[in-house]
Amino acid sequence: MVLYVIGLGLGDEKDITVKGLEAVKSSSKIYLEAYTSLLGGSTSIERLEAYYGKKIIIADREMVESGCEKMLEESTKEDVSFLVVGDPFGATTHTDLVLRAKELNIPVKVIHNASIMNAIGCCGLQLYSFGQTISMVFFTENSKPDSFYDRVKVNRANGMHTLCLLDIKVKEQTIENMLRGRKIYEPPRFMTVNQCIEQLLEIEEIRNEKVYDENTPCIGLSRVGQDDQQIVTGTMKELLTVDFGAPLHSFIICGEMHFIEKDYFNAFKLNKN
Amino acid sequence: MVLYVIGLGLGDEKDITVKGLEAVKSSSKIYLEAYTSLLGGSTSIERLEAYYGKKIIIADREMVESGCEKMLEESTKEDVSFLVVGDPFGATTHTDLVLRAKELNIPVKVIHNASIMNAIGCCGLQLYSFGQTISMVFFTENSKPDSFYDRVKVNRANGMHTLCLLDIKVKEQTIENMLRGRKIYEPPRFMTVNQCIEQLLEIEEIRNEKVYDENTPCIGLSRVGQDDQQIVTGTMKELLTVDFGAPLHSFIICGEMHFIEKDYFNAFKLNKN
């Protein structure tokens, strides 16, 4: 019996690989990790179920973080598919699951796919020249975590580009509902390119180590890998007011650009499209 | 008319996405970029042709570097697919082709897939924490390019992991054959993990800036994304003599490891498998 860990890619139901689709069709149970990312706009669970001709069980944060015991147990008796948007080892990695399965002697087969970590190459910057990736979380009044600033500092000091992954809040509870044990969830929220730039500039103002400023060249992207993908290049100030539309958004702070990278950057400038 | 630029992923003919396969089947001409990477062991061009039910035209280095004029010309009249092992913007990027098509007003549709740049996450290290990627080329008596050393230095000084992409020589001519204009090509060569480590240590010995040494933890991988993929962790010295088998090989110099990364590292240690 096999536990298939399958990347779905970034677009819709047809971005699964042929191999992945065959594995899904041969599995008796299908789980979908659905709290750290999502497929393109209209790709609902129902649409996936119709395409596979199979029922999908949602694996929420609780289930995944508590070790997927039941799913692993099932994998000892029947073929099980665990579906992940993007790649299983992309922005959110499922190494812990693979390790648990290995300990239990359950054969694991990983079926790779595109993730934001490589598809971001569509912006024209060489993946070679990216430094560490940062995650930008929603600031609140009391919490403005700025550890990303040190990473960007190192990247920029060495000419590297920085990919910023933007926060996603799915199935979050208010503190009150959590305290009262009420399973009431807030509507999903997705950080926009604009919010990301605001937060970056807010921290630059506080830290003031001249890591970047509103004239720093950068790239805003939305819906990478989907039909209506959008790429706009410009300074932080210029992109601050661009409407990037529906989620998911991604953002890049450019480092030193090679001339081919510059050509591409210029072809996607704000006032050119 | 559309120019499809399609990633094939890393394994065999079934690692193409469903969307990619549909595009191939709807195209009148199919080109395959076949000089910077290759699919798994037995996946020959003939096997791809049989699977697609279509003839494939090989796009060699000469054709791609001279701008693919003919292919772009054809794309103005009919649907054309340009196939790339991995992802179109992965280790080898085809941004110049996309830019040329854009200039000629040819609609381009990119269909992403896994590339070594994200599938490498299967080693258990977080993709977030990688610094710049390096390319290790075959040294010759007269040429030992060591610019990678500075990149590794920055990465390691900042705790980042380093992915090393290993040289591939396909359709190379000897200098004599080139001078005489004889189209005789050498057999393909692929760098092994062992050769990469030898070259890394050779440059450390020359530069002597204590960037890494034979006790540095690292990870050797072969055939990533294929059924017989191999992952072995250990020190440079330990991996120097491990036989990683058939190509392609990849190599990682570990930076600072998080405890989950360490668990994974320990699970794939040389004497454990």
Side-chain angles (χ1 to χ4, degrees), chain B residues 38 138 168-172 185-190:
Chain B
L38 75 169
F138 282 113
I168 296 177
K169 295 272 185 214
V170 178
K171 225 183 159 188
E172 296 282 319
Y185 302 98
E186 299 303 295
R189 288 196 300 153
F190 308 97

Side-chain angles (χ1 to χ4, degrees), chain A residues 65-114:
Chain A
E65 291 185 351
S66 69
C68 303
E69 292 305 328
K70 187 161 156 282
M71 185 178 79
L72 286 169
E73 169 65 27
E74 288 163 359
S75 309
T76 61
K77 290 181 231 116
E78 52 198 342
D79 285 353
V80 172
S81 284
F82 181 71
L83 310 181
V84 177
V85 174
D87 184 75
F89 301 112
T92 306
T93 95
H94 292 281
T95 45
D96 41 349
L97 178 66
V98 174
L99 220 49
R100 286 278 296 129
K102 207 173 143 90
E103 283 163 13
L104 299 168
N105 289 316
I106 299 164
V108 174
K109 241 177 106 53
V110 172
I111 300 176
H112 288 288
N113 209 321

Side-chain angles (χ1 to χ4, degrees), chain B residues 157-225:
Chain B
N158 293 285
M160 305 175 193
H161 312 306
T162 307
L163 169 62
C164 314
L165 299 175
L166 310 191
D167 206 0
I168 296 177
K169 295 272 185 214
V170 178
K171 225 183 159 188
E172 296 282 319
Q173 290 170 287
T174 61
I175 291 173
E176 201 191 328
N177 283 329
M178 207 186 301
L179 288 175
R180 290 176 191 261
R182 292 192 293 225
K183 299 222 169 210
I184 300 170
Y185 302 98
E186 299 303 295
R189 288 196 300 153
F190 308 97
M191 188 180 286
T192 63
V193 166
N194 320 109
Q195 288 169 320
C196 174
I197 297 174
E198 274 167 24
Q199 294 194 176
L200 280 165
L201 292 174
E202 187 177 345
I203 296 302
E204 176 58 62
E205 189 147 323
I206 298 168
R207 298 279 299 264
N208 199 27
E209 298 171 36
K210 317 276 181 231
V211 170
Y212 49 81
D213 60 36
E214 59 176 31
N215 296 313
T216 301
C218 55
I219 306 178
L221 303 97
S222 48
R223 300 173 302 287
V224 168

Side-chain angles (χ1 to χ4, degrees), chain B residues 119-156:
Chain B
I120 198 72
C122 67
C123 72
L125 300 178
Q126 306 253 16
L127 291 181
Y128 281 88
S129 305
F130 278 77
Q132 287 188 85
T133 300
I134 66 166
S135 290
M136 181 65 78
V137 299
F138 282 113
F139 286 178
T140 64
E141 209 142 326
N142 307 313
S143 162
K144 300 183 178 183
D146 68 353
S147 59
F148 69 79
Y149 190 78
D150 302 298
R151 287 187 156 208
V152 180
K153 190 175 175 180
V154 169
N155 286 349
R156 287 186 59 79

Side-chain angles (χ1 to χ4, degrees), chain A residues 136 138 164-168 189-200 220-222 239-240 242-251:
Chain A
M136 182 65 78
F138 282 112
C164 314
L165 299 175
L166 310 191
D167 205 1
I168 297 175
R189 288 194 302 153
F190 308 98
M191 188 180 287
T192 63
V193 166
N194 320 106
Q195 289 169 318
C196 173
I197 297 174
E198 274 166 26
Q199 296 194 173
L200 281 165
L221 303 97
S222 47
L239 299 196
L240 197 50
V242 173
D243 180 3
F244 284 90
L248 301 175
H249 293 187
S250 315
F251 188 70

Side-chain angles (χ1 to χ4, degrees), chain A residues 205-221:
Chain A
E205 191 148 319
I206 297 169
R207 298 279 298 263
N208 199 26
E209 297 172 36
K210 316 275 179 231
V211 170
Y212 49 81
D213 60 35
E214 58 177 31
N215 297 313
T216 301
C218 53
I219 306 177
L221 303 97

